[in-house]
Amino acid sequence: MDALRLPVVSSAPRALDAASLGLTARADARAEGLFDRFGRSHTYLRISVIEKCNLRCRYCMPEEGVPLLPKDELLSFEEFERLAGLFVRLGVHKIRVTGGEPLVRRGIDDLLARLGRLKAQGLTRLAMTSNALLLRQHLAAVRAAGVDAVNLSLDTLRPERFRDITLRDGCEETIAAINAAAEAGFAAVKVNAVVMAGVNDDEIVDLARAFALERPIEMRYIEYMPFEGNHWGERLRMFPAQAIRARLEEHLELEDLGLHETAQIYGARERSSGRRFRGRIGIISSMTEPFCASCNRTRLTADGHFRWCLLDEGEIDLRGPLRSGATDAQLSALIEEGLRRKKPGHAPAEELLQAQKAAGARSMIRIGG
Ligand code: SAM
């Protein structure tokens, strides 16, 4: 990688407080469902099913790796099923399975099928985020389990660069798996690329053309976020949403579809030929234009900790109480306690890193992206 020699694009995210986000703390915010003090409703749970991964992406995990949990500290399938069922009864209707790499977890097809059965209890969307390396082997089982949508991560179309970023081979297999997923009948297939200045920002338009021009795949660009040990501000630098948009607009006309999602979603057309893209473009600006005011997400880590924000160190252990015989009411009380601690927004990058250092934070790979 030659990031050091390329221009640095700096970000100036501002501190987020309730007022700047238009959020008002309310003591009475609780109604039916999982609400926090600011009246944000939490209908989306991301479950990390394993911390292990078959890639070593520099922006995701520390170079020295992460200490892996002993197996008995990971939630069992029965425990995931119990907690996921509880979250669904509390108002969650979308679950995303992630990791680590979810397809590395032994028996993952069975776990997905168990989660898929929660559709009888109010779950409407089961999704998975994966690096796709093992997807082709699991595709039929993943579909049969009721997974409706997959987000597949790929930062480059170039095998050599793939190796530089992930420290493994697998570019061709990932592309083949994305192509197979596009034919498999999912309600949505999205490709996630983390954009880093001087690493892969020159492929922004190529990625859009490769996946979204001819097929209804959404090509999503994610701002690189700081995590302890992931080279933030050293070897890797963020390429901000605004610059991603500008780079796309050199070749494509973008039409803001006005959808209020975590990503800004665009339709696209080639400037030169007027040809319309079948798929959409998404830009996820977690750092420069955060979407905290409309955040509806909560997380469950592979070792059974409840987290209410990806970029806040707070978490509550659910596994201990679960294994000591806690009732659903007691577990619900812990989940509500966590949500009461959710802040209106996350801190700017440098403050986040300080807080992560002080807290001996989990890296992205250990939280579940
Ligand atoms: N192994 C799976 C995968 O690769 O998709 C799931 C876990 S991974 C942590 C989930 C997503 O988080 C991926 O799309 C990855 O690119 C993204 N991610 C990891 N570290 C990141 C960072 N520092 N900033 C932004 N996105 C990151």
Side-chain angles (χ1 to χ4, degrees):
M1 280 200 277
D2 51 358
L4 277 177
R5 284 187 276 115
L6 285 139
V8 171
V9 184
S10 69
S11 66
R14 63 201 160 85
L16 296 175
D17 56 27
S20 68
L21 288 165
L23 293 172
T24 320
R26 297 192 224 158
D28 64 342
R30 287 219 39 232
E32 192 106 341
L34 281 172
F35 285 84
D36 67 7
R37 291 182 300 133
F38 303 99
R40 289 174 296 196
S41 165
H42 295 78
T43 55
Y44 181 9
L45 174 68
R46 297 168 73 100
I47 302 180
S48 171
V49 298
I50 190 164
E51 295 187 328
K52 239 197 300 191
C53 188
N54 43 357
L55 294 179
R56 293 287 177 274
C57 303
R58 293 166 190 268
Y59 56 78
C60 186
M61 67 193 293
E63 222 149 84
E64 64 278 13
V66 290
L68 289 178
L69 288 170
K71 192 164 179 279
D72 64 346
E73 289 189 23
L74 292 178
L75 291 189
S76 67
F77 290 1
E78 290 71 21
E79 289 168 333
F80 276 124
E81 202 177 354
R82 162 113 187 260
L83 288 176
L86 177 60
F87 273 97
V88 168
R89 288 193 297 285
L90 289 171
V92 160
H93 49 74
K94 174 174 175 183
I95 290 180
R96 174 174 302 282
V97 171
T98 180
E101 170 49 40
L103 296 177
V104 165
R105 174 107 191 211
R106 193 166 300 187
I108 183 68
D109 299 343
D110 175 25
L111 177 55
L112 292 172
R114 287 168 186 250
L115 296 175
R117 287 199 281 276
L118 293 175
K119 289 189 174 170
Q121 296 178 39
L123 184 70
T124 55
R125 188 82 148 180
L126 181 59
M128 179 173 71
T129 300
S130 164
N131 62 33
L133 274 178
L134 299 172
L135 183 62
R136 287 203 289 175
Q137 303 163 34
H138 289 268
L139 201 48
V142 167
R143 286 292 296 129
V147 173
D148 310 285
V150 283
N151 285 15
L152 305 173
S153 305
L154 180 69
D155 307 315
T156 173
L157 299 165
R158 305 182 193 173
E160 222 172 276
R161 189 175 276 182
F162 183 97
R163 181 160 236 294
D164 276 346
I165 296 173
T166 68
L167 308 184
R168 297 284 184 274
D169 290 319
C171 190
E172 293 91 340
E173 178 54 35
T174 307
I175 293 171
I178 293 169
N179 293 337
E183 301 293 317
F186 290 107
V189 175
K190 300 177 185 175
V191 175
N192 284 351
V194 178
V195 186
M196 291 154 289
V199 175
N200 60 346
D201 64 278
D202 56 342
E203 285 190 83
I204 289 172
V205 175
D206 292 347
L207 282 161
R209 287 180 177 141
F211 297 114
L213 180 57
E214 288 173 358
R215 289 165 300 173
I217 294 178
E218 184 174 309
M219 183 64 225
R220 292 156 70 98
Y221 304 93
I222 307 178
E223 279 182 345
Y224 159 56
M225 292 181 279
F227 288 96
E228 175 57 359
N230 82 345
H231 304 295
W232 173 269
E234 300 157 14
R235 254 183 298 166
L236 300 180
R237 300 198 185 271
M238 184 178 53
F239 196 77
Q242 218 181 3
I244 296 171
R245 257 189 307 269
R247 187 60 64 81
L248 286 163
E249 284 178 331
E250 285 169 17
H251 297 274
L252 312 178
E253 254 172 58
L254 297 182
E255 179 198 355
D256 189 340
L257 298 180
L259 301 171
H260 299 286
E261 299 184 8
T262 45
Q264 287 146 0
I265 308 289
Y266 302 91
R269 197 188 276 280
E270 288 282 1
R271 283 194 189 282
S272 56
S273 63
R275 190 165 166 204
R276 180 168 275 289
F277 278 51
R278 285 192 64 203
R280 307 188 306 185
I281 305 289
I283 302 181
I284 304 180
S285 53
S286 326
M287 298 313 300
T288 59
E289 302 159 21
F291 36 85
C292 304
S294 59
C295 180
N296 64 350
R297 297 167 173 212
T298 57
R299 293 167 189 271
L300 181 64
T301 63
D303 59 352
H305 286 69
F306 173 54
R307 290 182 71 109
W308 39 91
C309 174
L310 175 64
L311 296 170
D312 178 3
E313 294 322 306
E315 56 181 37
I316 287 182
D317 178 27
L318 299 180
R319 186 192 63 204
L322 180 70
R323 290 186 180 173
S324 324
T327 62
D328 280 1
Q330 288 166 329
L331 293 168
S332 306
L334 290 172
I335 293 166
E336 284 167 8
E337 161 63 23
L339 281 179
R340 273 196 294 276
R341 294 197 214 160
K342 185 159 174 161
K343 295 175 189 150
H346 65 73
E350 299 316 319
E351 259 174 57
L352 280 174
L353 271 179
Q354 292 303 326
Q356 289 171 359
K357 276 199 177 80
R362 291 177 190 255
S363 50
M364 177 71 134
I365 186 106
R366 295 200 54 231
I367 302 168

